[in-house]
């Protein structure tokens, strides 16, 4: 899987958001400290092999495996894959092929380097793309997973429409969502705009406490974070912790399963091949739903 290039044959310059994520992933790759803090916060629910910088724990992995309902050999897309652990673990567990994408070139390189630890050669590919413009063909995926990434999309409505567009008829998108206390969910409207059906809403009642433990671990290890990550990355983490801790009481977290109806039109055989980046459709503008993660 190759990265998109300019007419001169060189990769386009990274956006400010992509550059920030590049720095984030590069800094975390230099130390085991952050992974150890996630492990301390999650306890026995920490899937060490996955090593995700997210709320992905063993219960979530099991639930996603169940909700995807995929068959061996089908294609799973990991949207906003980060360093790839979640998609790689699921692809191995489900005996499917994997295509992951992320805004960060550093994360994509790390995902590619890790893939051989999970899957045989040729079973996984990664490329650089955003949630609102995946570069993938219509109906190419038998399943899509998106964990703690939608909150970072510039346009969440467009992102849901785009992820729905790449689903084959009958296929499912599973994604984590969270709402601050008193906020009304918008996922029914977003699903409808994307031509999808809300099939399951699985509550994750332990997720807010998990994030509280994460943030308290970061704050209590502030000096070590500065030492291992540098001041900029450490302050980014500590700033997130201080901003978000007060918003956690009353937070509602769920795993949504959205399904494309089996009667939806799709290109014949589109989901039967490992897809390469292509064109994408326009989607509707976003509405406000701020859920920090």
């Amino acid at each position: 899987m190759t990265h998109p290039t300019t007419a001169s044959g060189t990769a386009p310059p990274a956006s400010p958001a992509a550059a920030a994520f590049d720095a984030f992933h590069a800094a975390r790759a230099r130390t085991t400290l952050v992974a150890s803090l996630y492990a301390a916060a999650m306890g026995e629910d920490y899937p060490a092999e996955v090593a995700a910088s997210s709320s992905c724990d063993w219960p979530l992995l099991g639930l996603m495996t169940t909700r995807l309902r995929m068959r061996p050999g089908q294609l799973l897309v990991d949207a906003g894959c980060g360093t790839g652990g979640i998609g790689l673990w699921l692809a191995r567990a489900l005996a499917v092929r994997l295509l992951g994408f992320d805004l960060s070139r550093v994360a994509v390189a790390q995902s590619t380097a890790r893939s051989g630890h999970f899957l045989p050669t040729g079973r996984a590919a990664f490329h650089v793309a955003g949630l609102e413009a995946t570069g993938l063909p219509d109906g190419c995926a038998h399943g899509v997973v998106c964990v703690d990434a939608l909150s970072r999309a510039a346009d969440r409505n467009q992102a849901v429409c785009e992820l729905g567009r790449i689903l084959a008829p009958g296929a499912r998108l599973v994604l984590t969502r969270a709402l601050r206390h008193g906020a009304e969910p918008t996922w029914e409207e977003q699903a409808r705009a994307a031509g999808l059906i809300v099939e399951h809403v699985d509550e994750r009642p332990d997720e807010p406490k998990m994030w509280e433990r994460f943030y308290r671990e970061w704050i209590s290890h502030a000096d070590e974070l500065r030492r291992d990550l540098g001041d900029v990355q450490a302050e980014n983490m500590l700033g997130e912790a201080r901003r978000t801790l007060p918003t956690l009481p009353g937070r509602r977290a769920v795993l949504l399963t959205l399904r494309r109806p089996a009667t939806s039109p799709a290109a014949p055989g589109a989901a039967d091949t490992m897809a390469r980046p292509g064109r994408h459709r326009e989607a509707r503008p976003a509405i406000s739903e701020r859920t920090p993660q």
Side-chain angles (χ1 to χ4, degrees):
M1 188 69 67
T2 57
H3 302 323
T5 58
T6 63
S8 64
T10 60
S15 67
F21 281 116
D22 284 346
F24 165 88
H25 288 294
R28 292 199 179 188
R30 294 194 297 265
T31 178
T32 60
L33 173 62
V34 177
S36 71
L37 298 182
Y38 273 87
M42 284 192 185
E44 64 180 10
D45 284 338
Y46 180 65
E49 189 181 22
V50 170
S53 297
S54 70
S55 65
C56 181
D57 55 9
W58 281 121
L60 182 62
L61 285 171
L63 185 56
M64 290 191 294
T65 302
T66 299
R67 294 303 185 211
L68 283 166
R69 296 181 177 271
M70 295 182 70
R71 297 192 301 274
Q74 292 186 324
L75 178 64
L76 173 67
V77 171
D78 186 356
C81 64
T83 58
I86 294 171
L88 288 165
W89 190 94
L90 288 169
R92 185 180 62 190
L94 294 165
V96 298
R97 296 168 294 129
L98 176 67
L99 197 160
F101 68 84
D102 196 272
L103 200 60
S104 166
R105 287 180 173 81
V106 173
V108 165
Q110 293 172 354
S111 299
T112 301
R114 297 180 70 190
S115 61
H117 297 291
F118 290 85
L119 297 170
T121 301
R123 280 265 302 277
F126 298 91
H127 71 274
V128 176
L131 295 177
E132 301 96 329
T134 66
L136 299 175
D138 292 357
C140 68
H142 299 98
V144 178
V145 61
C146 182
V147 176
D148 293 358
L150 188 66
S151 62
R152 302 187 186 101
D155 187 329
R156 296 180 189 181
N157 277 7
Q158 183 174 342
V160 173
C161 285
E162 174 68 358
L163 297 181
R165 180 188 65 78
I166 67 174
L167 282 177
R172 294 167 175 86
L173 161 65
V174 297
L175 69 164
T176 55
R177 301 297 298 268
L179 298 171
R180 291 184 179 183
H181 178 67
E184 290 297 321
T186 61
W187 48 68
E188 289 279 359
E189 294 87 348
Q190 288 173 331
R192 191 178 308 114
L196 306 177
I197 298 166
V198 178
E199 189 171 60
H200 296 285
V201 180
D202 292 295
E203 302 290 338
R204 303 180 65 206
D206 297 331
E207 190 258 20
K209 284 292 184 182
M210 182 193 305
W211 281 105
E212 181 180 351
R213 293 193 300 272
F214 289 158
Y215 292 143
R216 297 204 184 281
E217 287 285 342
W218 298 358
I219 290 169
S220 66
H221 292 82
D223 290 341
E224 294 98 316
L225 288 171
R226 293 188 183 96
R227 179 198 67 205
D228 285 17
L229 301 179
D231 289 340
V232 172
Q233 293 302 319
E235 288 306 319
N236 285 344
M237 291 178 67
L238 295 169
E240 177 186 335
R242 296 186 186 107
R243 287 191 307 273
T244 310
L245 270 170
T247 72
L248 292 176
R251 171 181 168 110
R252 181 189 180 194
V254 303
L255 179 72
L256 289 182
T257 302
L258 310 181
R259 180 172 58 85
R260 178 160 296 288
T263 55
S264 296
D272 295 329
T273 58
M274 182 72 83
R276 290 187 174 272
R279 295 187 176 184
H280 64 280
R281 294 178 181 171
E282 295 296 326
R284 300 188 182 188
I287 56 178
S288 176
E289 181 192 338
R290 305 293 294 178
T291 56
Q293 285 179 330

